[in-house]
Amino acid sequence: FSTAIAITEQPVSISVPVGYSFTLRCRAEGRTLLQYQWFCQHQSDCRQIPGATNPDLPIVAEQTKLYTCRVNDLYRNAVFSDWVKVEVHQCVARGLPPRLWRGEPVIILNPTEQRVEVGKPLQLQCASMGVPAPCYQWYRNGNLLEQHKRKKLWITHAKVSDSGTYLCCASNSHGEHWTNAVDVYVGEQSQPPLLCCTSPGARSKIALLVGNNCYQHHPNLVAPVKDVFELSRLLEQLGFQVVSLLD
């Protein structure tokens, strides 16, 4: 005689600073008494966690590890939960969450400006803490990049058309947070573009754009970020050197 076991609540991945206390949860339903056993994997070593036989697993984040829970019944049927990642950030200088942090995304690594030769790899990277672990979405010149939904944006062979201003949005069920915007130039021999074609003595036109996305007592806004990109492109067409600042 066999019986089905259905997991009704899967554990969730988190991204937290070292020392953060959290409880992984797994819930299941079956026709008999259910037993739980948690496992963890660090690098290539997967092992059973001694004494971890409850649906809740309290942990103190020390190292990045993967976790799963096995649920079995009295008829030796068994199912495993999803593998989840507890990502631990050892060094968090800026962006450390406040004492009353509720798990909303906190950017701890911003992408950096890149100058890449045509045909060479282009890589941008960011990182955010969050509970649950944030999802990522990259943008170029304010336009969503449908294929780039990871912390690392990787383009194997960069083209001139990949040039532009990039930023990434980290989001989870508690909200969203945006990285700094950075400029990427793709060209021959990684030479930056000429900002002005006037003589050395001529005055250049400079425009400063500031888009405020985060407010202390108001939900984050998206429109200011997109507006900055749209105005930036328009002013560049009019011959301005544009400096864009977010938040």
Side-chain angles (χ1 to χ4, degrees), residues 134-179:
C135 300
Y136 295 88
Q137 178 62 65
W138 286 89
Y139 294 78
R140 182 182 68 239
N141 297 334
N143 298 314
L144 183 146
L145 299 175
E146 185 64 37
Q147 303 301 318
H148 297 285
K149 299 179 180 291
R150 298 178 180 271
K151 287 187 294 185
K152 291 183 180 180
L153 180 149
W154 176 264
I155 298 175
T156 307
H157 303 290
K159 305 183 296 293
V160 173
S161 59
D162 292 320
S163 298
T165 303
Y166 287 74
L167 82 169
C168 186
C169 177
S171 63
N172 64 12
S173 55
H174 296 290
E176 63 183 26
H177 204 175
W178 296 74
T179 66

Side-chain angles (χ1 to χ4, degrees), residues 45-58:
D45 179 28
C46 180
R47 61 182 178 85
Q48 179 175 303
I49 303 175
T53 56
N54 294 317
D56 292 343
L57 177 67

